[in-house]
Amino acid sequence: MRLSPDELVLWKIGAVELNATIVFTWALMGVLVLGSLFVTRHLSEKEARSNWQNLLEIVVTGIDQQIKDIGLEHSLKYLPFLGTLFLFVAASSLSSIIPMFEPPTGSLSTTVALAICVFVAVPLYGIKARGVAGYLKSYIEPTIIMLPFNIISEVSRTLALAVRLFGNMMSGAMIVGILISITPLLFPIVMTALGLLTGMVQAYIFSILATVYIAAATRNDQAPHPSIPTSEQSTNA
Amino acid sequence: MIIDWFTVGAQVLNFLVLVWLLKRFLYQPILNAIDKREKRIAESLADAANSKAQAAAERDRLQGKHDAFDKERADLLAKAVEAAQTERKRLIDAAHKAAEDLSDKQRKALASDAKALSAEISRRAETEVFAIARKALTDMADASLEERMSERFIAKLSELKGSAKTTLAKMLESTKEPVVLRSAFDLPSKQKAAIQKAITETFKHKIDLTFETAPEVVSGIEMMVGGQKLAWSLSDYLKSLESSVSALMKPDSMKESKVAHEGRS
């Protein structure tokens, strides 16, 4: 039994290998991009519009509103990154119901890649908003003694992001696989439905945590925003 | 190991590409469409607000105009009422004046008619009364009456005093015309002599008398000298009575007598 789709290598030349994770990722990217292209090709600027356009507008404005609720000003600056995080993880979770399709987020390589992206994006957005000195100063707040702890917190929360998502997605797929071999009919369906729910929750948690990290890095005042949980609270979620 | 670093790198790249692609084909078009729609809605709302403001301004303008019309109408109505009242008063005054004029005219006409009627009645009554009296006296006149009248004339001569007697005496002295003594009947000689004697004694000198008969004297004797007359006759009494009756028949006298009658009643 495969723990990760990385193990299914379809094509390999030297160190370069084309495994199932990458291929399924491309498939998801294709569905997302082509679906978006199909809907946005005939966008209506009037009140009357298609259901698909309504759906996409709800999704995009919903994500934008979530970013604003977390406390990020100029939410549109962060919308492509954070929105894509949510959509990719959510689409990956939803794809788990497709037979023979293994969600890319079930691969620790994918979740690590996403966590690395967040890990890099947070300081980039922080420096862009507060400057290099302002951002680095946040590591020695409230005192310089907190510097190692802040660095450890930065790394550990990135690791937690990756492992949490991977664990949930992989365990869900594993449980369904095991249950299919034991009780082939009803129980796997219920667990799959439960897996869809946990998958959507994980997508929400992953993108919200990323938003919180970015908000914490870009905030100008010392007092945390009421709606922003602390990094410790968020890592415990 | 379950982490394949090549796959990690590839997934990082895939994710960044997906971010760019979704930004290009999803977020931007959707946000643009929303922005344009919101802008159009905002323009519509602004247009609506503008139209509303214009409508409010127009409403205010029309309200002001309406108020001005109301005020003007009220003013015109007040003026019309005032003019109508003035005209009414003028017409009523004119009617009153015309009625008073007509009443005066009618009163005058009535008074004139009454006066004329009164005069006519008076005249006729007078004429009839005196005709009857004259006829009766004429019928009753005889020698003894003439004698009595002569005595009465002589008595009247003797009663003359003062300026009347002096004036008559002067005129009798200065006149060159004969002194005429008129009576209704031819006087007997005896009475003529008695009268001649009484005149001579009264005026202290001899006066020639000419005796004439005049039926209009009715019953009496009168002496004419230089425009002066000394007489006693029933005609004088009758004329005096006629004057009294005429005075009584005048409207003022009638009115006074009427008032006196009402006061008594």
Side-chain angles (χ1 to χ4, degrees):
Chain A
M1 187 176 204
R2 287 194 308 273
L3 282 178
S4 168
D6 291 358
E7 296 171 12
L8 181 59
V9 177
L10 302 174
W11 182 77
K12 181 173 182 180
I13 297 178
V16 179
E17 61 177 28
L18 192 63
N19 54 34
T21 303
I22 296 172
V23 172
F24 288 143
T25 299
W26 285 349
L28 275 181
M29 287 169 65
V31 169
L32 289 172
V33 173
L34 290 177
S36 300
L37 194 61
F38 174 75
V39 175
T40 57
R41 195 177 46 178
H42 301 294
L43 279 179
S44 167
E45 293 170 0
K46 297 178 181 174
E47 279 73 14
R49 47 197 183 270
S50 68
N51 292 335
W52 287 110
Q53 182 178 345
N54 269 334
L55 175 67
L56 289 190
E57 285 189 8
I58 290 168
V59 169
V60 171
T61 54
I63 295 169
D64 184 54
Q65 191 57 47
Q66 284 293 327
I67 295 169
K68 285 176 182 167
D69 289 345
I70 294 299
L72 272 175
E73 294 177 358
H74 312 296
S75 59
L76 294 180
K77 254 191 332 190
Y78 312 103
L79 177 66
F81 179 74
L82 296 172
T84 305
L85 266 182
F86 174 78
L87 288 178
F88 180 72
V89 177
S92 180
S93 301
L94 286 175
S95 67
S96 63
I97 61 169
I98 300 171
M100 307 301 291
F101 192 92
E102 293 188 30
T105 47
S107 158
L108 187 60
S109 303
T110 304
T111 57
V112 167
L114 295 179
I116 288 171
C117 287
V118 174
F119 181 75
V120 174
V122 169
L124 283 180
Y125 282 123
I127 290 167
K128 193 175 178 183
R130 304 170 64 183
V132 177
Y135 176 72
L136 293 177
K137 193 182 169 189
S138 68
Y139 281 95
I140 56 170
E141 286 174 349
T143 64
I144 197 166
I145 302 168
M146 293 302 291
L147 177 62
F149 299 105
N150 281 332
I151 293 172
I152 291 168
S153 167
E154 198 81 13
V155 175
S156 65
R157 74 187 183 187
T158 305
L159 186 63
L161 267 181
V163 172
R164 183 190 303 111
L165 181 59
F166 167 69
N168 278 285
M169 297 308 293
M170 185 270 288
S171 63
M174 290 291 287
I175 288 168
V176 170
I178 293 166
L179 285 176
I180 283 174
S181 61
I182 300 171
T183 55
L185 289 176
L186 190 61
F187 208 62
I189 295 174
V190 175
M191 290 308 294
T192 302
L194 193 61
L196 284 176
L197 179 64
T198 56
M200 293 305 293
V201 170
Q202 286 307 314
Y204 178 75
I205 288 172
F206 195 96
S207 54
I208 284 295
L209 285 176
T211 310
V212 169
Y213 299 154
I214 292 170
T218 56
R219 73 174 189 271
N220 287 320
D221 55 341
Q222 295 300 316
H225 191 278
S227 62
I228 301 173
T230 61
S231 57
E232 288 180 4
Q233 287 171 330
S234 58
T235 50
N236 291 335
Chain B
M1 184 56 193
I2 55 175
I3 297 178
D4 180 8
W5 291 106
F6 173 77
T7 306
V8 170
Q11 290 296 75
V12 168
L13 190 63
N14 283 337
F15 180 74
L16 293 177
V17 170
L18 182 62
V19 168
W20 183 82
L21 287 174
L22 287 185
K23 183 182 179 183
R24 171 77 176 75
F25 295 114
L26 177 63
Y27 305 121
Q28 207 61 51
I30 291 287
L31 292 173
N32 285 344
I34 291 172
D35 283 347
K36 285 180 181 173
R37 187 163 59 240
E38 285 180 348
K39 191 177 175 187
R40 195 171 53 75
I41 290 170
E43 285 174 356
S44 299
L45 289 174
D47 287 346
N50 193 25
S51 299
K52 195 175 175 183
Q54 284 181 348
E58 185 69 13
R59 185 196 61 200
D60 291 344
R61 191 180 68 78
L62 288 175
Q63 186 64 44
K65 211 170 179 180
H66 186 258
D67 291 345
F69 279 146
D70 277 351
K71 190 174 179 302
E72 189 177 359
R73 187 182 62 185
D75 291 346
L76 287 175
L77 192 62
K79 282 181 185 171
V81 168
E82 191 180 350
Q85 284 177 345
T86 306
E87 182 65 14
R88 178 172 166 271
K89 190 171 180 302
R90 190 187 67 76
L91 289 174
I92 288 172
D93 291 345
H96 281 161
K97 192 172 181 307
E100 283 174 5
D101 290 347
L102 189 61
S103 179
D104 283 348
K105 210 176 278 180
Q106 284 181 341
R107 200 182 304 120
K108 282 176 184 171
L110 196 60
S112 175
D113 289 348
K115 192 175 178 184
L117 184 62
S118 170
E120 181 63 21
I121 290 170
S122 174
R123 192 183 62 75
R124 286 194 183 184
E126 192 180 326
T127 305
E128 290 298 324
V129 166
F130 291 113
I132 291 165
R134 188 169 284 116
K135 181 79 170 63
L137 287 172
T138 305
D139 291 345
M140 286 165 61
D142 56 8
S144 60
L145 182 63
E146 297 295 325
E147 187 180 351
R148 181 71 188 141
M149 283 192 297
S150 298
E151 289 173 4
R152 185 69 203 139
F153 181 75
I154 290 165
K156 193 166 185 179
L157 270 177
S158 61
E159 286 170 1
L160 272 176
K161 287 179 182 172
S163 61
K165 185 178 177 181
T166 309
T167 305
L168 195 58
K170 283 180 182 175
M171 291 193 73
L172 285 170
E173 285 174 8
S174 62
T175 187
K176 292 178 179 166
E177 294 174 2
V179 177
V180 179
L181 197 82
R182 299 165 71 196
S183 63
F185 301 96
D186 191 19
L187 294 172
S189 303
K190 186 183 174 184
Q191 287 173 359
K192 286 179 182 176
I195 290 169
Q196 180 72 55
K197 185 185 175 186
I199 290 172
T200 303
E201 286 176 359
T202 300
F203 297 108
K204 307 297 183 191
H205 63 93
K206 176 81 168 115
I207 296 167
D208 293 331
L209 294 172
T210 303
F211 292 92
E212 289 180 359
T213 302
E216 66 269 14
V217 179
V218 183
S219 181
I221 299 168
E222 62 182 21
M223 183 175 70
M224 302 289 292
V225 54
Q228 291 286 319
K229 185 172 84 173
L230 176 66
W232 181 91
S233 74
L234 288 178
S235 178
D236 286 340
Y237 284 114
L238 288 174
K239 281 186 179 172
S240 175
L241 178 63
E242 188 178 345
S243 300
S244 300
V245 170
S246 296
L248 281 173
M249 294 302 284
K250 280 181 182 174
D252 292 343
S253 301
M254 290 174 73
K255 200 182 288 180
E256 284 171 6
S257 62
K258 189 179 176 184
V259 169
H261 175 72
E262 284 175 354
R264 280 197 301 277
S265 63

